[in-house]
Amino acid sequence: TAICIFSCVSIFARSTPAYDQTEKNANEEKIRLEIGEWLILGPASTPFPVFNEEDREEAESAFLLSYDFIPLAQLKPEAGKEISFPVRQRFSWKAVKTGDAGVILSNGPSKPETAYLASYLELPRWAELQFKAKGTHPFRLMIDGESIIECKENGTDEYRKGTVKLKRGKHTIIVKTVCAPEDTISSWKFDAFIETRKTPACNTRLSLGPVRNITIADILNPPHISSVNLSPDGSLAALMIHAIISPDGDRETKLEIRNSTDGSLVRTIICRKGIKGFKWTPDGKSLSYTVSKEEKTSIRVIELKSGNDKIISESIKRFESYKWSPDGEFIIYSASEEPEKDKDGVKRLRGISDRTNFARHRSYLYLLSVKNGTTRKITTGKYTSHLADIHPDGGNILITRSYEDLSERPYEKTELVRVNLKEAKSEVLWKGKWFNNAAWSPDGKKILVSAGASSFGKIGKNVSENTIPNDYDGQIYIFDPESKDVDAITRKFKPSVKRAYWSKSDNSIYLVAENKSFVRLFRYSARHQNFKELQTGCDVISSGDFASEKPVAVFAGTSADQHQKLYRIDLERNRVKEIYNPAKVQYEYIRKTSVKEWNFTSSTGKEITGRVHYPPDFDSDKIYPCIVYYYGGTSPVSRSFGGRYPKNLWASMGYIVYILQPSGATGFGQEFSAAHVNDWGKIVAGEIIEGTKEFLSAHPFVNPGKVGCIGASFGGFMTQLLVTKTDIFAAAISHAGISSISSYWGEGYWGYAYNAVSAANNFPWNSPDIYINQSPLFYADKVNTPLLLLHGGSDTNVPTGESEQMYTALKLLGKDVEYIRFAGQNHFILDYKKRIKWSNAILAWFDKWLKEQPQWWDNMYPPIDGQKEKSAEQYPKPGKLGIKIVNDETRGTFLVGEITIENIQNNIPEWDSEYYEYEPDMS
């Protein structure tokens, strides 16, 4: 009975009106929002150019209006903040109240002057607003830098109009107004107000303060550290930093060299197109880098003290990467060789991997003498050679070669090869599968190998009998190249290793590892054979580096509620210090969203961890819509800030965001991650549904009828699977989701390889229980949840057909489905403008179905001709709900009880009682 009651509540709540009827009413009352006070900057003297008598257009107010004395981005209005005007003029923003005639800036200037007015408008939802403004002198009114109203004339007494469409959040209103002494009107005045319909005006706030919620621009635009290189002595950190510098998404890349002790700037190098690959030379006195033009690359070295810049080698064709020898005598670099050009468009595949357009490219290794620039080719052959490491004495190198082997999963073998550089001899040290990387120990006697749990047979496995481990769960081994002995040091270590470094300074092994949803730093002592977690200052370590000569590390990292910062870690004392905050200015006025842990115990007795992101102005007495996010594949949803799926942004838009880590994820131990193998959503879907119900029960401020779900890639598959199994979600989004496991297995570039873990030893011909029964496409008729499908048009991982066939099925079934494809984008939407549209589509879809605010979505994607949106009258009224269970055999009914759902939305009173019948599946 309890289950039936919950189902009835869910169906009732999903059937609430999809539209706010007051928004549909064209005759709805309009509201005038007065701008009661402004921040004012100036008026400042802005004289005309000399010799203006030769060009009268530059001696008029219109010139002052069109010429930007101060770039708009530099204004940043805030009471008391000082701004410099040219020349030798400084003004502070001051608050002034408006009178009946608006703002009086001057009673008649004696020279040309310019002034700025500013205010902030905070909207609770997407809205279309009309601004009306008038001034005695020329003015331009701008919203978020976009010109809305412009008046180039003097003495007009009529309001000019301008319409703007704005998203939820805080918007900056700036007015530039100018006055010339030749103008005949003495008083310099300006007035403006906003006109809108009643509903979006509700809770709209005008203020003079810049504090606001985060936006998508705050996720994409601020400076971001993409790589960190620490000098051998640990004193200097070279940071590669990217930032968006224009509305079109133009990006600036620069290298900042900073003192690792206090973060102070030592030098900045602006990176022109083609400059990258910065590395410290082994002596720590210089930085090497590469410059590429077309298909040719040069390797250069710049000495920090003198600034001398010299070329080590130039015109390397199809250069890829390089590494310094420990003594600095030579460089090993890799370069690719392309296959013969396709002349007739006919291609016979040589194997499964040959389906990709890069399968026939080969990369080989070369030795470059730093002293005289001579080179020698080290490797050749039918397989690509990758450099793993250079021996501490420089005498030999470790390389890997991988090739297709269809005899067993993962259908690829890797060779670990030692190459003697002097004698040009090679020795295969190990051949196997699930290999990631290898590096020499500081003394050159052992090799640190990063690989899967199955790479060395049973020695690395820590799962129960007859359980297949998840070989994406990163493990570390110490391998003796002479005796071939292997020590599986992380076998009982639950975190999943992402990177490993064997320190020369203290002979410890440092691991960057997923520890549940955290990415933390651990130290392994070979002497004591134990692990210790070290302080990092953040939840998730991203890029970083270790000093080779001292126990010091520098890492960039974020937290669930904190943007990226740079930290210095004293490895010996286990102390951490924040040394640089590259986005400090951008995040100065942004409200933080709070994050709290929330875990539950599933019906199987397993603890499923999770967290909750709250809106910045969270009030437990209000009712909120909710977004449930998950991945469901082999990785946990990390506690990183921003990213492609910015939970901070969703929370700032008024949603409670619940994130859970279902079974199969790495970072929880091998037994937990092994649940991903041969499951394809059976366990995970149950845990997501169960977790969502438990979450709703424990959080009364979440509206149980306004819960959405979203996932991408395997998470997109989970979204599609979930909506075939439950109706508890009022809206769903699947990005690059898999609808048919068999078509993904055969068509995606890595589908068959991924299934080597997720469907180990199971194929379409022997396991229909996986390939058909777990494929959402075959249960499309069970979908009752509005579903948005998103996909990159050039996705090689999960081909677009996965979304297209689900879209086709749901359209034929008459279901609520939308499909948006982003041309030229692969598995991720990376193009700046398309990524913004992609993010907006996600939020607008949820606003439509979870907030009953379809206006933003309909503005971006109006209803297609011939298709009608459902009207509110087609849905039952929300209110008190009585539930009748109907017995299918006797058709008798009995009243189970009455559930009162109150305050579904703010400011909506309790409705009259009505009863609705629900016929459950009595099986």
Side-chain angles (χ1 to χ4, degrees):
T1 301
I3 294 175
C4 292
I5 289 174
F6 189 91
S7 299
C8 292
V9 173
S10 298
I11 290 175
F12 146 73
R14 277 206 60 247
S15 298
T16 53
Y19 295 93
D20 187 331
Q21 283 302 100
T22 56
E23 281 295 292
K24 302 292 285 185
N25 187 349
N27 298 319
E28 183 188 352
E29 177 186 357
K30 290 187 177 180
I31 300 295
R32 173 169 167 154
L33 299 175
E34 300 288 351
I35 304 176
E37 55 182 343
W38 291 90
L39 288 172
I40 185 170
L41 186 70
S45 175
T46 48
F48 295 118
V50 295
F51 310 123
N52 62 74
E53 66 275 4
E54 298 174 11
D55 187 349
R56 288 302 302 168
E57 289 186 0
E58 297 198 0
E60 298 175 354
S61 298
F63 165 75
L64 298 180
L65 187 66
S66 63
Y67 188 88
D68 289 325
F69 300 94
I70 302 176
L72 202 61
Q74 293 182 12
L75 289 177
K76 297 179 180 177
E78 182 184 4
K81 190 161 191 172
E82 198 174 65
I83 299 290
S84 295
F85 272 73
V87 171
R88 296 182 180 179
Q89 299 182 85
R90 298 186 71 83
F91 292 89
S92 295
W93 289 97
K94 296 179 181 178
V96 296
K97 293 188 180 296
T98 58
D100 293 339
V103 176
I104 299 177
L105 294 101
S106 172
N107 287 318
S110 59
K111 54 189 175 181
E113 290 185 334
T114 299
Y116 292 90
L117 301 173
S119 182
Y120 293 98
L121 172 70
E122 192 156 13
L123 288 168
R125 58 184 293 175
W126 184 96
E128 182 174 341
L129 308 176
Q130 187 174 77
F131 280 77
K132 294 186 177 181
K134 67 176 181 179
T136 55
H137 294 71
F139 69 88
R140 183 166 71 245
L141 186 149
M142 295 161 282
I143 309 295
D144 298 335
E146 179 185 353
S147 182
I148 304 302
I149 306 173
E150 186 167 11
C151 175
K152 298 180 179 180
E153 303 151 13
N154 293 318
T156 59
D157 198 36
E158 294 183 359
Y159 282 101
R160 304 269 179 129
K161 301 177 182 179
T163 301
V164 63
K165 298 172 182 178
L166 300 175
K167 295 184 290 186
R168 174 191 171 110
K170 203 160 196 174
H171 304 273
T172 307
I173 307 170
I174 291 182
V175 177
K176 179 182 179 181
T177 178
V178 299
C179 184
E182 291 83 358
D183 296 339
T184 57
I185 300 173
S186 58
S187 294
W188 184 6
K189 302 176 183 177
F190 176 80
D191 188 33
F193 65 90
I194 305 168
E195 197 170 73
T196 182
R197 290 179 180 170
K198 184 176 181 180
T199 304
C202 179
N203 296 325
T204 296
R205 291 181 289 182
L206 285 157
S207 70
L208 301 183
V211 177
R212 59 181 176 82
N213 292 351
I214 197 170
T215 67
I216 184 62
D218 300 315
I219 302 294
L220 301 180
N221 296 355
H224 177 80
I225 301 171
S226 63
S227 67
V228 179
N229 278 277
L230 195 54
S231 61
D233 65 0
S235 63
L236 297 175
L239 315 175
M240 186 67 75
I241 297 179
H242 306 284
I244 300 297
I245 58 174
S246 81
D248 292 327
D250 296 324
R251 188 169 74 163
E252 178 186 72
T253 301
K254 60 184 178 180
L255 182 81
E256 290 185 354
I257 301 172
R258 291 186 173 269
N259 187 303
S260 72
T261 302
D262 58 12
S264 58
L265 183 63
V266 176
R267 177 176 292 185
T268 298
I269 300 173
I270 301 297
C271 299
R272 303 186 308 273
K273 185 177 180 180
I275 295 180
K276 57 182 180 179
F278 286 92
K279 297 178 186 291
W280 289 100
T281 57
D283 62 9
K285 297 178 180 179
S286 306
L287 276 168
S288 60
Y289 65 100
T290 63
V291 181
S292 299
K293 187 175 182 180
E294 296 177 349
E295 288 192 347
K296 294 184 179 180
T297 298
S298 63
I299 301 177
R300 303 180 180 222
V301 173
I302 181 170
E303 187 179 17
L304 292 184
K305 188 174 182 179
S306 65
N308 291 335
D309 193 334
K310 65 178 181 178
I311 297 175
I312 302 298
S313 181
E314 59 181 341
S315 301
I316 302 173
K317 291 184 178 180
R318 293 180 291 278
F319 172 88
E320 293 180 330
S321 62
Y322 72 105
K323 186 179 181 70
W324 281 90
S325 66
D327 58 8
E329 293 289 323
F330 62 88
I331 287 171
I332 303 289
Y333 71 85
S334 67
S336 67
E337 295 183 10
E338 295 183 348
E340 185 178 346
K341 296 290 184 181
D342 182 7
K343 296 179 180 179
D344 56 8
V346 178
K347 177 181 179 180
R348 179 200 176 192
L349 298 189
R350 299 172 181 171
I352 296 177
S353 60
D354 201 24
R355 296 174 303 148
T356 68
N357 54 15
F358 48 80
R360 297 186 186 183
H361 287 72
R362 294 291 179 265
S363 297
Y364 301 119
L365 300 177
Y366 299 78
L367 188 149
L368 167 65
S369 172
V370 174
K371 186 175 182 179
N372 54 35
T374 58
T375 63
R376 174 165 66 92
K377 191 173 184 180
I378 301 173
T379 65
T380 188
K382 59 181 180 179
Y383 303 128
T384 285
S385 301
H386 292 290
L387 177 65
D389 200 11
I390 303 175
H391 195 275
D393 66 10
N396 57 65
I397 61 175
L398 284 176
I399 69 169
T400 61
R401 303 203 313 162
S402 298
Y403 50 88
E404 186 172 282
D405 180 354
L406 303 183
S407 64
E408 61 177 340
R409 63 185 190 94
Y411 317 116
E412 180 184 74
K413 283 286 195 303
T414 299
E415 294 176 347
L416 180 63
V417 183
R418 176 168 53 190
V419 176
N420 184 298
L421 293 176
K422 185 177 181 180
E423 299 178 6
K425 291 183 178 180
S426 65
E427 176 190 0
V428 177
L429 300 177
W430 175 84
K431 183 187 296 185
K433 50 190 180 179
W434 311 112
F435 178 88
N436 294 322
N437 209 344
W440 290 105
S441 62
D443 62 6
K445 295 180 179 180
K446 301 288 179 67
I447 299 174
L448 187 65
V449 175
S450 171
S454 304
S455 296
F456 291 92
K458 294 183 178 181
I459 191 171
K461 296 180 182 180
N462 187 24
V463 293
S464 55
E465 193 72 23
N466 300 322
T467 297
I468 300 174
N470 180 343
D471 281 290
Y472 291 127
D473 201 332
Q475 305 297 312
I476 293 296
Y477 304 85
I478 296 177
F479 175 72
D480 188 320
E482 308 307 329
S483 67
K484 304 300 186 291
D485 290 338
V486 178
D487 184 6
I489 64 175
T490 58
R491 180 176 176 272
K492 295 183 179 180
F493 181 64
K494 286 190 175 182
S496 177
V497 180
K498 297 169 69 71
R499 298 190 297 278
Y501 173 77
W502 202 328
S503 173
K504 175 184 175 182
S505 64
D506 63 4
N507 203 38
S508 296
I509 297 174
Y510 292 93
L511 309 176
V512 176
E514 290 173 342
N515 186 16
K516 300 181 179 179
S517 60
F518 297 84
V519 178
R520 292 284 173 79
L521 180 64
F522 297 85
R523 176 168 55 214
Y524 174 76
S525 170
R527 179 181 177 184
H528 299 100
Q529 296 187 337
N530 62 5
F531 294 91
K532 181 177 181 179
E533 183 175 342
L534 303 181
Q535 297 295 318
T536 57
C538 58
D539 290 348
V540 175
I541 288 176
S542 51
S543 55
D545 197 16
F546 296 84
S548 58
E549 305 298 333
K550 290 187 178 181
V552 173
V554 172
F555 283 95
T558 67
S559 296
D561 59 350
Q562 183 63 60
H563 64 274
Q564 188 189 56
K565 297 179 181 179
L566 188 70
Y567 302 88
R568 182 184 192 273
I569 304 172
D570 184 326
L571 299 172
E572 189 174 38
R573 296 178 177 86
N574 190 19
R575 295 177 182 174
V576 64
K577 177 184 177 183
E578 179 191 321
I579 59 172
Y580 182 39
N581 183 353
K584 182 178 180 179
V585 174
Q586 287 81 355
Y587 282 91
E588 185 177 4
Y589 298 112
I590 293 178
R591 300 184 186 107
K592 277 190 175 183
T593 57
S594 62
V595 182
K596 295 181 181 179
E597 302 301 303
W598 191 82
N599 309 327
F600 77 97
T601 302
S602 71
S603 56
T604 62
K606 188 183 299 183
E607 183 184 50
I608 304 299
T609 64
R611 67 181 186 270
V612 186
H613 289 249
Y614 294 85
D617 54 352
F618 172 71
D619 182 349
S620 60
D621 291 330
K622 293 183 179 179
I623 302 297
Y624 293 86
C626 176
I627 296 173
V628 178
Y629 182 78
Y630 39 78
Y631 174 54
T634 59
S635 300
V637 180
S638 75
R639 294 175 61 90
S640 57
F641 185 85
R644 299 185 184 97
Y645 307 94
K647 298 84 184 175
N648 321 77
L649 174 62
W650 300 345
S652 76
M653 298 295 284
Y655 292 97
I656 298 292
V657 183
Y658 169 45
I659 301 159
L660 71 161
Q661 314 281 5
S663 295
T666 56
F668 296 80
Q670 288 190 35
E671 196 70 44
F672 192 91
S673 65
H676 181 73
V677 181
N678 286 323
D679 178 67
W680 268 102
K682 285 181 289 187
I683 296 173
V684 174
E687 289 174 348
I688 294 174
I689 294 170
E690 187 177 4
T692 301
K693 291 180 180 181
E694 292 281 348
F695 178 78
L696 294 175
S697 177
H699 297 83
F701 49 79
V702 175
N703 186 339
K706 297 298 180 184
V707 180
C709 62
I710 177 173
S713 195
F714 194 95
F717 157 78
M718 287 309 310
T719 292
Q720 295 185 35
L721 184 66
L722 284 168
V723 295
T724 69
K725 294 178 175 290
T726 182
D727 291 328
I728 65 172
F729 299 109
I733 298 178
S734 167
H735 173 78
I738 300 159
S739 62
S740 175
I741 300 169
S742 59
S743 57
Y744 160 70
W745 167 82
E747 294 179 10
Y749 276 5
W750 301 279
Y752 76 101
Y754 185 80
N755 268 30
V757 170
S758 57
N761 302 318
N762 288 281
F763 306 94
W765 53 86
N766 67 4
S767 300
D769 59 319
I770 292 178
Y771 288 87
I772 294 177
N773 294 353
Q774 290 303 110
S775 292
L777 180 64
F778 293 90
Y779 300 91
D781 59 326
K782 305 295 184 184
V783 176
N784 296 311
T785 304
L787 176 62
L788 171 62
L789 300 165
L790 303 169
H791 224 116
S794 302
D795 196 331
T796 54
N797 186 356
V798 179
T800 56
E802 295 304 313
S803 285
E804 286 162 9
Q805 55 191 350
M806 179 57 91
Y807 177 73
T808 300
L810 294 178
K811 289 298 286 186
L812 289 173
L813 289 164
K815 306 288 187 175
D816 286 312
V817 62
E818 292 278 2
Y819 175 33
I820 302 174
R821 193 166 53 201
F822 297 85
Q825 300 301 288
N826 205 303
H827 200 50
F828 307 116
I829 311 302
L830 299 180
D831 175 84
Y832 181 77
K833 289 185 175 180
K834 289 175 183 174
R835 184 169 174 182
I836 291 175
K837 291 182 178 180
W838 174 73
S839 178
N840 288 345
I842 290 170
L843 287 165
W845 182 256
F846 282 141
D847 278 4
K848 175 177 179 174
W849 295 102
L850 305 185
K851 294 183 180 177
E852 301 179 6
Q853 296 173 9
Q855 294 78 19
W856 187 10
W857 175 269
D858 290 346
N859 178 256
M860 291 191 298
Y861 304 104
I864 299 170
D865 292 342
Q867 295 183 7
K868 293 183 178 180
E869 296 284 354
K870 293 180 181 178
S871 66
E873 286 76 10
Q874 291 177 264
Y875 296 95
K877 283 199 309 181
K880 291 183 179 179
L881 180 64
I883 302 163
K884 293 180 179 179
I885 301 298
V886 181
N887 186 303
D888 285 339
E889 294 181 1
T890 65
R891 306 303 298 171
T893 65
F894 59 94
L895 180 63
V896 174
E898 183 176 85
I899 298 175
T900 301
I901 301 178
E902 297 178 334
N903 298 323
I904 296 300
Q905 292 179 303
N906 296 337
N907 305 317
I908 294 182
E910 186 174 332
W911 299 277
D912 295 332
S913 297
E914 286 192 23
Y915 289 108
Y916 301 99
E917 287 191 355
Y918 166 56
E919 298 188 13
D921 181 357
M922 300 306 288
S923 64

